[in-house]
Amino acid sequence: AQTVTQSQPEMSVQEAETVTLSCTYDTSESDYYLFWYKQPPSRQMILVIRQEAYKQQNATENRFSVNFQKAAKSFSLKISDSQLGDAAMYFCAYRTAFSGNTPLVFGKGTRLSVIA
Amino acid sequence: NAGVTQTPKFQVLKTGQSMTLQCAQDMNHEYMSWYRQDPGMGLRLIHYSVGAGITDQGEVPNGYNVSRSTTEDFPLRLLSAAPSQTSVYFCASSYSRRTYEQYFGPGTRLTVT
């Protein structure tokens, strides 16, 4: 079974600075998807960024980018120019690409605080 | 589109009571699932469905029942609530293809006393 590990329960960053959240995963599959979800205090789960394992290029969405290291099974999230609105729980998640009918496997989350 | 909707948003139950958490989506998604979120545990899969009439268990299915009679609805039933079921419950849905994004409902905070 696949597992996802987020080793940093809490992180903090100064406003306008850059922070990197870590995620590692364990799988024997070669084709899969990786995600970062943001959960603000409103509780809503918001997709931040996704990465297809067969793509070597790292995904980027505005201030959010990932460092995908397939051989190392690592998938970190970099937030540039941090803003107060970035304060939230961040979850790393894995989904097999073998079939569309598969659930997400989540890490335990990293709580990010942004200091003004 | 309303997306994924969940009702109620909050609920307090006494031990032994039963209730149904409702989940509906209007995106014609084949795949639907229920997760529970507990502090320090992330989101854990309870049950999921790959289409009407088809359901399967996830990581933590005990104490919960599901059914999927229509594509749109995927209710989660607690037959005899226990304090260990105090949690936040999320419903999610997605297309049944080699796609990726799951869409989440707003969650239901359940407290069992």
PDB file of all heavy atoms in Angstrom, chain B residues 15 36 38 44 62-64 78 80-87 89 110 112-113:
ATOM      1  N   THR B  15     -24.171   9.209  22.327  1.00  0.00           N
ATOM      2  CA  THR B  15     -23.720   7.844  22.087  1.00  0.00           C
ATOM      3  C   THR B  15     -24.917   6.925  21.848  1.00  0.00           C
ATOM      4  O   THR B  15     -25.895   6.958  22.594  1.00  0.00           O
ATOM      5  CB  THR B  15     -22.904   7.334  23.281  1.00  0.00           C
ATOM      6  OG1 THR B  15     -21.725   8.157  23.414  1.00  0.00           O
ATOM      7  CG2 THR B  15     -22.474   5.901  23.076  1.00  0.00           C
ATOM      8  N   ARG B  36     -12.552  10.910   6.869  1.00  0.00           N
ATOM      9  CA  ARG B  36     -12.636  11.577   8.158  1.00  0.00           C
ATOM     10  C   ARG B  36     -11.295  12.218   8.457  1.00  0.00           C
ATOM     11  O   ARG B  36     -10.244  11.686   8.103  1.00  0.00           O
ATOM     12  CB  ARG B  36     -13.066  10.629   9.274  1.00  0.00           C
ATOM     13  CG  ARG B  36     -12.162   9.472   9.556  1.00  0.00           C
ATOM     14  CD  ARG B  36     -12.674   8.649  10.754  1.00  0.00           C
ATOM     15  NE  ARG B  36     -12.437   9.363  12.017  1.00  0.00           N
ATOM     16  CZ  ARG B  36     -12.901   8.950  13.199  1.00  0.00           C
ATOM     17  NH1 ARG B  36     -13.603   7.834  13.283  1.00  0.00           N
ATOM     18  NH2 ARG B  36     -12.651   9.636  14.299  1.00  0.00           N
ATOM     19  N   ASP B  38      -9.009  13.779  11.530  1.00  0.00           N
ATOM     20  CA  ASP B  38      -8.752  13.893  12.960  1.00  0.00           C
ATOM     21  C   ASP B  38      -7.421  14.592  13.162  1.00  0.00           C
ATOM     22  O   ASP B  38      -6.509  14.434  12.345  1.00  0.00           O
ATOM     23  CB  ASP B  38      -8.732  12.504  13.600  1.00  0.00           C
ATOM     24  CG  ASP B  38     -10.033  11.761  13.363  1.00  0.00           C
ATOM     25  OD1 ASP B  38     -11.054  12.220  13.908  1.00  0.00           O
ATOM     26  OD2 ASP B  38     -10.042  10.754  12.628  1.00  0.00           O
ATOM     27  N   ARG B  44      -8.411  10.252   6.361  1.00  0.00           N
ATOM     28  CA  ARG B  44      -8.422   8.798   6.184  1.00  0.00           C
ATOM     29  C   ARG B  44      -9.707   8.366   5.497  1.00  0.00           C
ATOM     30  O   ARG B  44     -10.788   8.836   5.821  1.00  0.00           O
ATOM     31  CB  ARG B  44      -8.281   8.110   7.549  1.00  0.00           C
ATOM     32  CG  ARG B  44      -6.915   8.328   8.205  1.00  0.00           C
ATOM     33  CD  ARG B  44      -6.823   7.599   9.528  1.00  0.00           C
ATOM     34  NE  ARG B  44      -7.706   8.172  10.535  1.00  0.00           N
ATOM     35  CZ  ARG B  44      -7.980   7.608  11.699  1.00  0.00           C
ATOM     36  NH1 ARG B  44      -7.444   6.447  12.002  1.00  0.00           N
ATOM     37  NH2 ARG B  44      -8.787   8.200  12.551  1.00  0.00           N
ATOM     38  N   ASN B  62     -15.173   0.702   9.855  1.00  0.00           N
ATOM     39  CA  ASN B  62     -15.991   0.166  10.942  1.00  0.00           C
ATOM     40  C   ASN B  62     -16.879   1.234  11.566  1.00  0.00           C
ATOM     41  O   ASN B  62     -16.414   2.315  11.919  1.00  0.00           O
ATOM     42  CB  ASN B  62     -15.098  -0.461  12.008  1.00  0.00           C
ATOM     43  CG  ASN B  62     -14.417  -1.712  11.506  1.00  0.00           C
ATOM     44  OD1 ASN B  62     -14.828  -2.301  10.509  1.00  0.00           O
ATOM     45  ND2 ASN B  62     -13.358  -2.125  12.182  1.00  0.00           N
ATOM     46  N   GLY B  63     -18.160   0.896  11.710  1.00  0.00           N
ATOM     47  CA  GLY B  63     -19.120   1.803  12.314  1.00  0.00           C
ATOM     48  C   GLY B  63     -19.853   2.677  11.318  1.00  0.00           C
ATOM     49  O   GLY B  63     -20.709   3.471  11.706  1.00  0.00           O
ATOM     50  N   TYR B  64     -19.531   2.499  10.038  1.00  0.00           N
ATOM     51  CA  TYR B  64     -20.137   3.322   8.984  1.00  0.00           C
ATOM     52  C   TYR B  64     -20.702   2.434   7.876  1.00  0.00           C
ATOM     53  O   TYR B  64     -20.102   1.420   7.510  1.00  0.00           O
ATOM     54  CB  TYR B  64     -19.106   4.249   8.347  1.00  0.00           C
ATOM     55  CG  TYR B  64     -18.333   5.100   9.305  1.00  0.00           C
ATOM     56  CD1 TYR B  64     -17.080   4.692   9.768  1.00  0.00           C
ATOM     57  CD2 TYR B  64     -18.826   6.325   9.745  1.00  0.00           C
ATOM     58  CE1 TYR B  64     -16.349   5.474  10.646  1.00  0.00           C
ATOM     59  CE2 TYR B  64     -18.099   7.116  10.610  1.00  0.00           C
ATOM     60  CZ  TYR B  64     -16.858   6.681  11.055  1.00  0.00           C
ATOM     61  OH  TYR B  64     -16.141   7.476  11.918  1.00  0.00           O
ATOM     62  N   LEU B  78     -24.193   6.482  10.184  1.00  0.00           N
ATOM     63  CA  LEU B  78     -23.653   6.015  11.452  1.00  0.00           C
ATOM     64  C   LEU B  78     -24.803   5.310  12.162  1.00  0.00           C
ATOM     65  O   LEU B  78     -25.806   5.947  12.513  1.00  0.00           O
ATOM     66  CB  LEU B  78     -23.154   7.177  12.303  1.00  0.00           C
ATOM     67  CG  LEU B  78     -21.828   7.835  11.912  1.00  0.00           C
ATOM     68  CD1 LEU B  78     -21.958   8.658  10.638  1.00  0.00           C
ATOM     69  CD2 LEU B  78     -21.324   8.693  13.061  1.00  0.00           C
ATOM     70  N   SER B  80     -24.815   3.489  15.113  1.00  0.00           N
ATOM     71  CA  SER B  80     -24.819   3.636  16.566  1.00  0.00           C
ATOM     72  C   SER B  80     -23.580   4.456  16.923  1.00  0.00           C
ATOM     73  O   SER B  80     -22.500   3.898  17.082  1.00  0.00           O
ATOM     74  CB  SER B  80     -24.788   2.267  17.240  1.00  0.00           C
ATOM     75  OG  SER B  80     -24.771   2.411  18.646  1.00  0.00           O
ATOM     76  N   ALA B  81     -23.766   5.761  17.031  1.00  0.00           N
ATOM     77  CA  ALA B  81     -22.629   6.660  17.163  1.00  0.00           C
ATOM     78  C   ALA B  81     -21.838   6.383  18.445  1.00  0.00           C
ATOM     79  O   ALA B  81     -22.401   6.079  19.506  1.00  0.00           O
ATOM     80  CB  ALA B  81     -23.106   8.105  17.148  1.00  0.00           C
ATOM     81  N   ALA B  82     -20.515   6.539  18.314  1.00  0.00           N
ATOM     82  CA  ALA B  82     -19.602   6.369  19.439  1.00  0.00           C
ATOM     83  C   ALA B  82     -18.710   7.602  19.539  1.00  0.00           C
ATOM     84  O   ALA B  82     -18.459   8.268  18.527  1.00  0.00           O
ATOM     85  CB  ALA B  82     -18.741   5.123  19.234  1.00  0.00           C
ATOM     86  N   PRO B  83     -18.224   7.913  20.741  1.00  0.00           N
ATOM     87  CA  PRO B  83     -17.338   9.092  20.873  1.00  0.00           C
ATOM     88  C   PRO B  83     -16.134   9.044  19.936  1.00  0.00           C
ATOM     89  O   PRO B  83     -15.645  10.093  19.510  1.00  0.00           O
ATOM     90  CB  PRO B  83     -16.925   9.035  22.347  1.00  0.00           C
ATOM     91  CG  PRO B  83     -18.077   8.366  23.030  1.00  0.00           C
ATOM     92  CD  PRO B  83     -18.567   7.329  22.053  1.00  0.00           C
ATOM     93  N   SER B  84     -15.677   7.841  19.582  1.00  0.00           N
ATOM     94  CA  SER B  84     -14.524   7.721  18.677  1.00  0.00           C
ATOM     95  C   SER B  84     -14.851   8.206  17.263  1.00  0.00           C
ATOM     96  O   SER B  84     -13.940   8.373  16.445  1.00  0.00           O
ATOM     97  CB  SER B  84     -14.056   6.272  18.614  1.00  0.00           C
ATOM     98  OG  SER B  84     -15.096   5.443  18.110  1.00  0.00           O
ATOM     99  N   GLN B  85     -16.116   8.424  16.983  1.00  0.00           N
ATOM    100  CA  GLN B  85     -16.510   8.924  15.670  1.00  0.00           C
ATOM    101  C   GLN B  85     -16.609  10.443  15.626  1.00  0.00           C
ATOM    102  O   GLN B  85     -16.982  11.014  14.600  1.00  0.00           O
ATOM    103  CB  GLN B  85     -17.840   8.285  15.234  1.00  0.00           C
ATOM    104  CG  GLN B  85     -17.710   6.783  15.001  1.00  0.00           C
ATOM    105  CD  GLN B  85     -19.014   6.132  14.618  1.00  0.00           C
ATOM    106  OE1 GLN B  85     -20.021   6.236  15.322  1.00  0.00           O
ATOM    107  NE2 GLN B  85     -19.019   5.429  13.481  1.00  0.00           N
ATOM    108  N   THR B  86     -16.273  11.077  16.725  1.00  0.00           N
ATOM    109  CA  THR B  86     -16.155  12.538  16.717  1.00  0.00           C
ATOM    110  C   THR B  86     -15.043  12.919  15.762  1.00  0.00           C
ATOM    111  O   THR B  86     -13.901  12.485  15.917  1.00  0.00           O
ATOM    112  CB  THR B  86     -15.845  13.057  18.128  1.00  0.00           C
ATOM    113  OG1 THR B  86     -16.966  12.805  18.970  1.00  0.00           O
ATOM    114  CG2 THR B  86     -15.540  14.545  18.106  1.00  0.00           C
ATOM    115  N   SER B  87     -15.381  13.726  14.757  1.00  0.00           N
ATOM    116  CA  SER B  87     -14.424  14.007  13.696  1.00  0.00           C
ATOM    117  C   SER B  87     -15.028  15.031  12.744  1.00  0.00           C
ATOM    118  O   SER B  87     -16.184  15.440  12.885  1.00  0.00           O
ATOM    119  CB  SER B  87     -14.090  12.717  12.934  1.00  0.00           C
ATOM    120  OG  SER B  87     -13.037  12.920  11.998  1.00  0.00           O
ATOM    121  N   TYR B  89     -15.929  15.240   8.780  1.00  0.00           N
ATOM    122  CA  TYR B  89     -16.144  14.316   7.666  1.00  0.00           C
ATOM    123  C   TYR B  89     -16.207  15.082   6.354  1.00  0.00           C
ATOM    124  O   TYR B  89     -16.929  16.065   6.226  1.00  0.00           O
ATOM    125  CB  TYR B  89     -17.448  13.539   7.887  1.00  0.00           C
ATOM    126  CG  TYR B  89     -17.348  12.585   9.038  1.00  0.00           C
ATOM    127  CD1 TYR B  89     -17.593  13.018  10.349  1.00  0.00           C
ATOM    128  CD2 TYR B  89     -16.998  11.254   8.836  1.00  0.00           C
ATOM    129  CE1 TYR B  89     -17.486  12.141  11.412  1.00  0.00           C
ATOM    130  CE2 TYR B  89     -16.895  10.373   9.903  1.00  0.00           C
ATOM    131  CZ  TYR B  89     -17.130  10.831  11.183  1.00  0.00           C
ATOM    132  OH  TYR B  89     -17.015   9.969  12.232  1.00  0.00           O
ATOM    133  N   LEU B 110     -18.771  16.594  13.315  1.00  0.00           N
ATOM    134  CA  LEU B 110     -19.634  15.747  14.136  1.00  0.00           C
ATOM    135  C   LEU B 110     -19.021  15.558  15.518  1.00  0.00           C
ATOM    136  O   LEU B 110     -17.844  15.212  15.631  1.00  0.00           O
ATOM    137  CB  LEU B 110     -19.829  14.384  13.477  1.00  0.00           C
ATOM    138  CG  LEU B 110     -20.607  13.347  14.284  1.00  0.00           C
ATOM    139  CD1 LEU B 110     -22.066  13.769  14.408  1.00  0.00           C
ATOM    140  CD2 LEU B 110     -20.508  11.961  13.668  1.00  0.00           C
ATOM    141  N   VAL B 112     -19.756  13.469  19.101  1.00  0.00           N
ATOM    142  CA  VAL B 112     -20.548  12.431  19.763  1.00  0.00           C
ATOM    143  C   VAL B 112     -20.222  12.476  21.261  1.00  0.00           C
ATOM    144  O   VAL B 112     -19.068  12.318  21.669  1.00  0.00           O
ATOM    145  CB  VAL B 112     -20.257  11.040  19.196  1.00  0.00           C
ATOM    146  CG1 VAL B 112     -21.152   9.991  19.869  1.00  0.00           C
ATOM    147  CG2 VAL B 112     -20.451  11.022  17.686  1.00  0.00           C
ATOM    148  N   THR B 113     -21.257  12.713  22.060  1.00  0.00           N
ATOM    149  CA  THR B 113     -21.032  12.852  23.515  1.00  0.00           C
ATOM    150  C   THR B 113     -21.450  11.601  24.271  1.00  0.00           C
ATOM    151  O   THR B 113     -22.173  10.745  23.725  1.00  0.00           O
ATOM    152  CB  THR B 113     -21.817  14.042  24.058  1.00  0.00           C
ATOM    153  OG1 THR B 113     -23.215  13.821  23.820  1.00  0.00           O
ATOM    154  CG2 THR B 113     -21.399  15.334  23.358  1.00  0.00           C
TER     155      THR B 113
END
